[in-house]
Amino acid sequence: MRTFRSRKHTATLGAVTAVLALALTACNGDETGTKSAGPADNTASVSSSQPSTDATTTDGKKAGNAAQNTGATKTGTSKAGTSGTSGGGSTSDSYAYKHPCQSGDLSVRVYPLEGSATQHVIEVNNTGANSCGLSYFPRVSLGASKASDHSGDITPAVPGGLGGAPAYPVKPKTAAIAVIDLNPGGKGGVTWVNEMNVLADGDHMPNADTQNFELGPDVKVGDAKLGLYRSTVADAVSSMKTAGN
């Protein structure tokens, strides 16, 4: 009797174990399926969203470039508009009348006039970006470079009866030209002068902006004449001949 009960109990336990094993297998199978489905869904989500992110980034860059180009265009248009508003812009005579030249925007040259023994050209070039205004003629004095006292320097005669525009306008990359004749008569004259002092604009520039030019030896100065600024050497010579009148 004891042996029979033991076998029946063993068989019952075996059946229960088998059922539990099947149940566990089923559970493991479901759990495995759930885990594998999770990563699959995440991967699909990243893959589907990645192109959208890249497209947004690319579009963003394109939009940025377009905005920069548009800004540059607007800036150019704004500048052009400003120039038009000022009545011809920064290269107009009207602009020059209101803006005296600065010495830093000028380049001054002095050289002998070809074909003349006594005449020199004073050439003032506007190296700036805008038009500017000069006085009607440069301020010029003739003296000795080593003199401690320049009160006795010679000042040339200039044309009289001046009037009209408030300044002589000089456009960018152009020159204002004046001609001086150190000795129109060609006779006599003082011999101690060896230097010409030139201030491009005596009406607005300080004396410190005066530039000194060596005249060389054997110079004779007598009744010197200086003309007004003109755009050509020929016109400057004609103006010089009216000095003192």
Side-chain angles (χ1 to χ4, degrees), residues 1 60-61 66 77 102 112 124 149 178 216:
M1 293 297 290
K61 290 181 179 180
T77 303
Q102 304 297 315
V124 180
D149 181 7

Side-chain angles (χ1 to χ4, degrees), residues 121-170:
V121 177
I122 301 171
E123 181 182 297
V124 180
N125 292 276
N126 181 1
T127 60
N130 304 316
S131 291
C132 61
L134 291 170
S135 51
Y136 289 157
F137 53 88
R139 180 185 293 173
V140 177
S141 64
L142 306 165
S145 59
K146 296 183 179 180
S148 57
D149 181 7
H150 289 274
S151 61
D153 286 3
I154 299 172
T155 301
V158 296
L162 303 179
Y168 181 83
V170 191

Side-chain angles (χ1 to χ4, degrees), residues 33 61 71 84 107-108 117 140 148 150 182 196 211 232:
K61 290 181 179 180
S107 173
V108 182
V140 177
S148 57
H150 289 274
L182 302 180
M196 184 186 303
Q211 298 186 43
T232 67

Side-chain angles (χ1 to χ4, degrees), residues 136-137 157-165 228 230 239 242-245:
Y136 289 157
F137 53 88
V158 296
L162 303 179
L228 306 179
R230 292 291 184 260
S239 176
T242 67
N245 298 338

